[in-house]
Amino acid sequence: MTSLPLISVTDGDGATARRASMPPRHLADLDLAGRRSAVSDLGEQAFRATQLSTHYFGRLERDPAGMTDIPAAARERLSEQLLPKLLTPVRELACDDGATRKALWRLHDGSMVESVLMGYGDRVTVCISSQAGCGMACPFCATGQAGLTRNLSTAEIVDQVVYLAGVAQSGVMGGEPRRLSNVVFMGMGEPLANYSRVIAAVRRLTSPAPEGLGLSQRHVTVSTVGLVPAMRKLAEEDLSVTLALSLHAPDDDLRDELVPVNQRWKVAEVLDAAWAYAARTGRRVSIEYAMIRDVNDQPWRADLLGRLLAGRLAHVNLIPLNPTPGSKWDASPKPVEREFVRRLRAAGVATTVRDTRGREIDGACGQLAASEVEG
């Protein structure tokens, strides 16, 4: 593991905590038409909006000082109103010979979030946060145990991607591809609990430059623990993103404990919403399932899950439980995991086991806790 320097960030009086609040407006909060309108309201010509957008989305330039084709006076005025600093880096950790990198950010109000950049042989993926903390209270997830501080703005979500796309482009990850290709909303927070801002962020990320980053919608994954009304709303958005459902148990008795929102929307209702999304979009739903020793890894639960998913447009992504501070649970033994996979595949359900990239730096699934304390 490589640890980059810890950067102390304080207010002028030395305080580090402020009341949670949304940040000032940023150009990434607006579509291109909105940016043109905002620029005109500041007394500048509308084409300056395209210049700012080209720098930010097309060249991954977040520092106004580097936008030298805009006159200094105009640049200062525009940057003050449309390019406020949203993310202040506190620490970056790297492992896997630099191919996995976790960034810890302090937001303008002192809230903390994390995001993870992962390089593979054929792609570069960023896992981003949509909330500071999480209110879903899943007991095996470090983020869920921390509670919810606030939603992130659209621009705070997008800025994580733009920054880490720049890191990938710099070549520091070694022999990996340098162009960011995939975004997964699987960091801190429940994305569909911050629905409107997450959808706006998806549109920024997938709109062609200079309006957005120009990523493929099919390379964007939005996860949820099963907020049924929002899942059904997502199906009407005319998007082709992948929906990932954090199921973790096929029966209501156990899922009520592991995923407390199941006390409101039961397994059958959550899966119905997932199948509605698949039917509307033609996209295969990813079923996320954390393998927890002696909790949800019994053969009969594999068989039940297989019956629920057989013949559906779905893929199971088994996740070896990652360790979190104070957790009473552990990952399933490998023989148990292999038997679970065997039974699902025997039922005709496509199944893979997620790798544990980032575990060494607490950057794997369920480990993000936005702590300034060195591990």
Side-chain angles (χ1 to χ4, degrees), residues 252-274:
D252 287 321
D253 285 346
L254 180 57
R255 195 167 192 265
D256 282 350
E257 178 184 357
L258 296 183
V259 187
V261 75
N262 197 75
Q263 296 168 37
R264 172 62 181 85
W265 295 289
K266 299 299 185 180
V267 169
E269 192 174 0
V270 169
L271 288 177
D272 280 348

Side-chain angles (χ1 to χ4, degrees), residues 138 140 186 190 223-226 244-249 255 259 270 286-289 319:
C138 299
F140 56 90
M186 292 183 173
E190 161 57 49
S223 69
T224 181
V225 295
L245 172 61
S246 296
L247 192 65
H248 304 309
R255 195 167 192 265
V259 187
V270 169
S286 179
I287 304 295
E288 310 291 299
Y289 198 103
I319 308 165

Side-chain angles (χ1 to χ4, degrees), residues 154 157 185 191-192 194-206 222 230 233-234 237 239 241:
T154 295
I157 296 169
F185 284 78
L192 296 190
N194 189 16
Y195 187 89
S196 61
R197 297 181 186 93
V198 164
I199 296 303
V202 168
R203 297 196 187 281
R204 301 292 176 275
L205 297 175
T206 58
V222 176
K233 188 176 180 181
L234 181 63
E237 292 285 353
L239 294 171
V241 301

Side-chain angles (χ1 to χ4, degrees), residues 13-330:
D13 60 3
T16 57
R18 307 175 195 168
R19 179 171 297 179
S21 62
M22 297 299 285
R25 179 184 63 175
H26 185 282
L27 72 86
D29 289 312
L30 308 170
D31 60 17
L32 192 54
R35 293 170 215 162
R36 288 177 177 142
S37 177
V39 166
S40 297
D41 289 345
L42 293 172
E44 297 290 340
Q45 293 179 291
F47 77 88
R48 298 290 185 203
T50 300
Q51 288 182 296
L52 289 174
S53 300
T54 298
H55 280 291
Y56 183 78
F57 286 108
R59 300 171 187 166
L60 308 178
E61 176 61 74
R62 299 164 65 249
D63 184 357
M67 304 178 184
T68 54
D69 58 339
I70 302 174
R75 186 166 70 242
E76 180 177 358
R77 185 162 48 251
L78 291 170
S79 64
E80 181 180 335
Q81 295 297 318
L82 290 172
L83 288 170
K85 189 169 188 178
L86 299 177
L87 308 176
T88 298
V90 176
R91 183 177 63 246
E92 290 185 19
L93 299 175
C95 63
D96 301 321
D97 295 324
T100 303
R101 309 175 74 88
K102 181 177 77 168
L104 170 65
W105 312 103
R106 181 174 282 112
L107 310 181
H108 83 106
D109 59 353
S111 301
M112 309 287 282
V113 297
E114 292 181 319
S115 41
V116 183
L117 181 67
M118 297 163 285
Y120 299 89
D122 60 346
R123 67 193 187 280
V124 177
T125 297
V126 62
C127 175
I128 58 172
S129 295
S130 55
Q131 296 178 312
C134 182
M136 298 297 106
C138 299
F140 56 90
C141 174
T143 312
Q145 292 306 291
L148 176 65
T149 300
R150 68 167 172 87
N151 288 327
L152 299 191
S153 71
T154 295
E156 286 174 321
I157 296 169
V158 171
D159 207 34
Q160 295 172 66
V161 182
V162 172
Y163 174 88
L164 290 172
V167 171
Q169 184 174 273
S170 74
V172 299
M173 301 175 72
E176 308 293 347
R178 293 193 177 190
R179 179 172 172 78
L180 180 73
S181 55
N182 295 65
V183 174
V184 295
F185 284 78
M186 292 183 173
M188 300 177 69
E190 161 57 49
L192 296 190
N194 189 16
Y195 187 89
S196 61
R197 297 181 186 93
V198 164
I199 296 303
V202 168
R203 297 196 187 281
R204 301 292 176 275
L205 297 175
T206 58
S207 294
E211 182 161 6
L213 270 182
L215 299 176
S216 167
Q217 289 185 10
R218 290 175 173 266
H219 291 169
V220 174
T221 298
V222 176
S223 69
T224 181
V225 295
L227 305 188
V228 168
M231 293 170 68
R232 294 193 176 280
K233 188 176 180 181
L234 181 63
E236 304 300 319
E237 292 285 353
D238 195 27
L239 294 171
S240 56
V241 301
T242 296
L243 176 65
L245 172 61
S246 296
L247 192 65
H248 304 309
D251 55 302
D252 287 321
D253 285 346
L254 180 57
R255 195 167 192 265
D256 282 350
E257 178 184 357
L258 296 183
V259 187
V261 75
N262 197 75
Q263 296 168 37
R264 172 62 181 85
W265 295 289
K266 299 299 185 180
V267 169
E269 192 174 0
V270 169
L271 288 177
D272 280 348
W275 308 148
Y277 182 84
R280 179 64 182 263
T281 64
R283 302 286 291 151
R284 185 171 66 170
V285 175
S286 179
I287 304 295
E288 310 291 299
Y289 198 103
M291 292 291 290
I292 310 174
R293 181 195 295 261
D294 300 327
V295 174
N296 66 348
D297 59 359
Q298 298 86 353
W300 72 265
R301 283 197 163 96
D303 293 340
L304 175 56
L305 183 62
R307 291 195 296 273
L308 291 174
L309 304 185
R312 298 291 187 173
L313 196 59
H315 167 270
V316 173
N317 193 8
L318 293 181
I319 308 165
L321 185 73
N322 291 302
T324 57
S327 174
K328 64 180 181 180
W329 291 317
D330 196 7

